[in-house]
């Protein structure tokens, strides 16, 4: 096991390359199961632990996979051999639930170990299962597994009680091989949904409305493999954006379509950041003292919950009191005690955190509790006095490609060191 050692106080300078989006790659990899023949070629696939787990899962289901050793993956799903996701794989990555929709549509049956909760919340899948039922599936839960069966799915008009990203994706994929048309109302509108929709469209699905709250899918009898490029990771890009702002650095970040980050850019500018949106890139320049702001996380296009921990780290350096309201997940403040151990002044009351600044952060040993909390601790370490050690870094490697290399290239003093040190 390793931990990160960060010596704070250096402004970040240079260019950081943005990798493919984890949260686009995972549903698109799952959707490759829908292709009865032909080969899918996926470009700009980020080489992350979660992606490796998903590829392992697809291979256990009979998908033939090749990679070019860089970021292109070739998949052939013509001869599937199974319809079950075992506990040990689902437990490693809860996004395994995304294979349910494609397997149900393709084979008429899907059985997965119920994905448990995680650090940030209970993570139920009731909306996924409600969608499958509406499409004509029999859904049963027992002995820690959920099973869905349907000889043939039929199009339906589905209203999502909450614009769940995963439920929207699973229903889109299931509907792609259903007879007739499916309408999803109150659908999630994240850019990753649109990326999935582009891939499904390239496979032959007639799909409209991706990126809005109403998606229409006209199912086909048969789908074939297709080529699709994974969009850049907007959460990774915004994480480095905040690191540059906190350290008063001068950094360009790209490729990234700034329209994916309208809400984050607006809030950071409100806090006093100097951000220029260029051609497929963001440019940050030193802007002096930061101001406190109030923010609440919301489904897209609202402020992303996946940037909430990182923003909190930034706001520990802002002048005044900032109020952060986490409306998406019920337990996404586990980074607060760790930040407070570094000297942050944060008070949590239910889903609200009050951050007072600027706080003088000092280095110590802190633990990453989840992917984005770990990123927040790294950002805090970049401005803390002395040495910060971040442990449990496997969480961070699930969602950030080569984060140590990318930070070192920006001049940060960050090293991976043995846990024992
Ligand atoms: C996706 O998770 C992302 N993961 C998450 O990113 C992200 O935080 C989340 O969307 C919100 O944007 C991937 O795409 C792999 P949801 P997902 O279903 O699909 C409730 C990261 O750090 N809900 O939109 O699981 C749920 O409890 C990760 O990269 C139900 O009640 O998110 C939560 O409160 C973390 N019933 C809310 O909806 C359901 O059936 C949002 O969940 C499904 C969800």
């Amino acid at each position: 096991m390793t931990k990160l050692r960060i010596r704070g106080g250096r402004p970040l300078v240079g260019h950081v390359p943005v990798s493919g989006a984890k949260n686009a790659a995972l549903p698109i990899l799952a959707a490759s199961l829908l292709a009865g023949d032909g080969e899918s070629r996926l470009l700009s696939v980020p080489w992350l632990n979660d992606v490796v787990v998903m590829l392992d899962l697809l291979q256990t289901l009979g998908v033939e996979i090749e990679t070019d050793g860089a970021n292109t993956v070739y998949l052939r799903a013509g001869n599937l051999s199974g319809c079950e996701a075992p506990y040990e794989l689902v437990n490693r990555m809860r996004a395994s639930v995304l294979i349910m929709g494609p397997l149900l549509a393709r084979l008429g049956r899907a059985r997965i170990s119920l994905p448990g909760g995680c650090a940030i919340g209970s993570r139920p899948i009731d909306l996924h299962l409600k969608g499958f039922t509406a499409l004509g599936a029999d859904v049963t839960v027992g002995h820690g597994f959920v099973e869905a069966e349907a000889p043939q799915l039929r199009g339906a008009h589905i209203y999502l009680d909450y614009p769940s990203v995963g439920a929207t994706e699973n229903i889109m994929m299931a509907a792609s091989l259903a007879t007739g048309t499916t309408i999803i109302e109150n659908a999630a509108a994240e850019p990753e949904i649109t990326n999935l929709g582009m891939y499904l469209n390239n496979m032959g699905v007639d799909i409209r409305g991706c990126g809005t709250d109403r998606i229409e899918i006209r199912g086909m009898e048969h789908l074939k493999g297709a080529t699709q490029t994974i969009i850049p990771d907007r959460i990774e890009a915004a994480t480095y954006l905040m690191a540059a702002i906190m350290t008063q650095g001068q950094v360009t970040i790209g490729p990234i379509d700034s329209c994916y980050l309208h809400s984050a850019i607006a809030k950071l500018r409100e806090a006093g950041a100097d951000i220029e949106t260029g051609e497929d890139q963001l440019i940050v320049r030193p802007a002096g003292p930061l101001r406190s702001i109030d923010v609440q996380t919301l489904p897209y296009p609202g402020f992303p919950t996946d940037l909430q921990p990182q923003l909190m780290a930034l706001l520990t350096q802002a002048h005044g009191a900032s109020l952060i309201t986490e409306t998406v997940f019920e337990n996404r403040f586990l980074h607060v005690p760790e930040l407070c151990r570094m000297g942050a002044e944060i008070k949590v009351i239910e889903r609200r955190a009050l951050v007072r600044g600027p706080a003088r952060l000092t280095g110590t040993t802190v633990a990453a509790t989840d992917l984005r909390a770990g990123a927040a601790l790294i950002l805090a370490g970049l401005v803390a006095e002395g040495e910060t050690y971040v442990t449990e870094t496997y969480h961070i490697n699930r969602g950030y490609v080569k984060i140590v290399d990318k930070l070192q290239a920006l001049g940060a003093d960050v090293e991976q060191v043995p846990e024992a040190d």
Side-chain angles (χ1 to χ4, degrees):
M1 292 287 277
T2 63
K3 58 189 175 184
L4 290 184
R5 185 195 63 216
I6 306 153
R7 293 186 180 118
R10 293 190 180 183
L12 301 187
V13 178
H15 173 75
V16 61
V18 181
S19 301
K22 166 178 82 82
N23 292 349
L26 294 175
I28 287 174
L29 284 166
S32 69
L33 288 163
L34 292 166
D37 62 33
E39 178 177 78
S40 283
R41 183 167 67 110
L42 303 181
L43 309 168
S44 303
V45 178
W47 216 246
L48 292 162
N49 294 4
D50 274 13
V51 167
V52 172
V53 171
M54 179 61 86
L55 290 172
D56 287 351
L57 179 52
L58 294 178
Q59 272 182 325
T60 62
L61 296 169
V63 178
E64 295 166 44
I65 294 171
E66 286 170 46
T67 66
D68 70 347
N71 297 100
T72 302
V73 177
Y74 301 88
L75 305 107
R76 286 179 296 282
N79 304 305
L80 296 183
S81 56
C83 65
E84 181 166 323
Y87 172 79
E88 54 276 0
L89 279 175
V90 176
N91 193 42
R92 280 172 64 192
M93 186 199 50
R94 51 177 294 91
S96 310
V97 70
L98 293 174
I99 66 167
M100 270 201 94
L103 285 175
L104 177 61
R106 180 78 192 281
L107 302 177
R109 185 166 175 268
R111 184 172 189 271
I112 72 155
S113 167
L114 271 173
C118 70
I120 62 178
S122 60
R123 311 296 293 276
I125 60 168
D126 57 306
L127 298 178
H128 301 237
L129 303 182
K130 187 177 167 187
F132 298 151
T133 304
L135 292 169
D138 287 327
V139 175
T140 52
V141 177
H143 304 289
F145 275 81
V146 57
E147 195 162 329
E149 282 193 289
Q152 175 59 51
L153 294 174
R154 297 181 312 279
H157 195 143
I158 297 165
Y159 174 80
L160 287 179
D161 300 324
Y162 183 90
S164 154
V165 171
T168 301
E169 291 166 344
N170 241 333
I171 295 166
M172 282 166 70
M173 293 187 281
S176 294
L177 285 173
T179 52
T181 299
T182 295
I183 293 169
I184 308 173
E185 302 273 10
N186 199 30
E190 274 71 359
E192 293 74 27
I193 302 267
T194 304
N195 203 190
L196 172 62
M198 289 154 65
Y199 176 50
L200 293 173
N201 195 54
N202 290 341
M203 291 172 91
V205 183
D206 180 354
I207 189 163
R208 302 152 198 234
C210 291
T212 74
D213 63 0
R214 188 180 193 279
I215 300 176
E216 199 170 306
I217 306 111
R218 189 163 302 133
M220 306 299 284
E221 270 190 44
H222 189 73
L223 296 172
K224 60 190 184 329
T227 294
Q228 184 58 49
T229 298
I230 307 296
I231 58 172
D233 193 319
R234 61 194 168 99
I235 304 301
E236 181 197 27
T239 301
Y240 288 105
L241 181 65
M242 293 191 216
I245 294 164
M246 289 174 75
T247 59
Q248 298 290 328
Q250 172 122 2
V251 174
T252 61
I253 302 155
I256 186 67
D257 183 341
S258 60
C259 75
Y260 295 162
L261 287 168
H262 270 162
S263 56
I265 291 169
K267 296 307 289 184
L268 289 167
R269 283 174 170 161
E270 188 185 326
D274 177 349
I275 303 169
E276 181 188 334
T277 54
E279 180 64 35
D280 213 21
Q281 66 175 6
L282 301 173
I283 303 161
V284 189
R285 295 184 179 86
L290 294 171
R291 300 185 290 270
S292 59
I293 57 171
D294 294 341
V295 67
Q296 65 172 334
T297 66
L298 287 167
Y300 193 87
F303 189 89
T305 176
D306 290 349
L307 292 178
Q308 178 263 104
Q310 303 92 309
L311 181 69
M312 187 180 289
L314 181 142
L315 292 174
T316 66
Q317 303 306 296
H319 289 251
S322 299
L323 184 63
I324 297 178
T325 306
E326 172 56 64
T327 74
V328 177
F329 289 109
E330 70 265 29
N331 191 35
R332 200 169 201 170
F333 284 142
L334 293 177
H335 44 287
V336 170
E338 300 303 295
L339 289 170
C340 290
R341 294 182 59 245
M342 296 177 71
E345 291 184 47
I346 306 167
K347 188 184 288 295
V348 172
I349 302 161
E350 293 174 350
R351 289 203 178 194
R352 285 184 172 76
L354 188 68
V355 184
R356 287 191 176 85
R360 177 175 158 269
L361 301 185
T362 54
T364 182
T365 298
V366 288
T369 49
D370 70 271
L371 169 60
R372 310 302 175 185
L377 296 174
I378 292 174
L379 265 54
L382 290 173
V383 298
E385 285 169 29
E387 293 185 342
T388 299
Y389 289 90
V390 181
T391 64
E392 315 289 313
T393 53
Y394 63 89
H395 285 295
I396 302 167
N397 297 329
R398 290 185 47 206
Y400 288 94
V401 173
K402 295 185 180 157
I403 188 166
V404 174
D405 297 354
K406 292 185 179 182
L407 285 171
Q408 287 175 345
L410 293 172
D413 185 342
V414 179
E415 291 290 340
Q416 197 118 21
V417 297
E419 189 76 66
D421 272 10

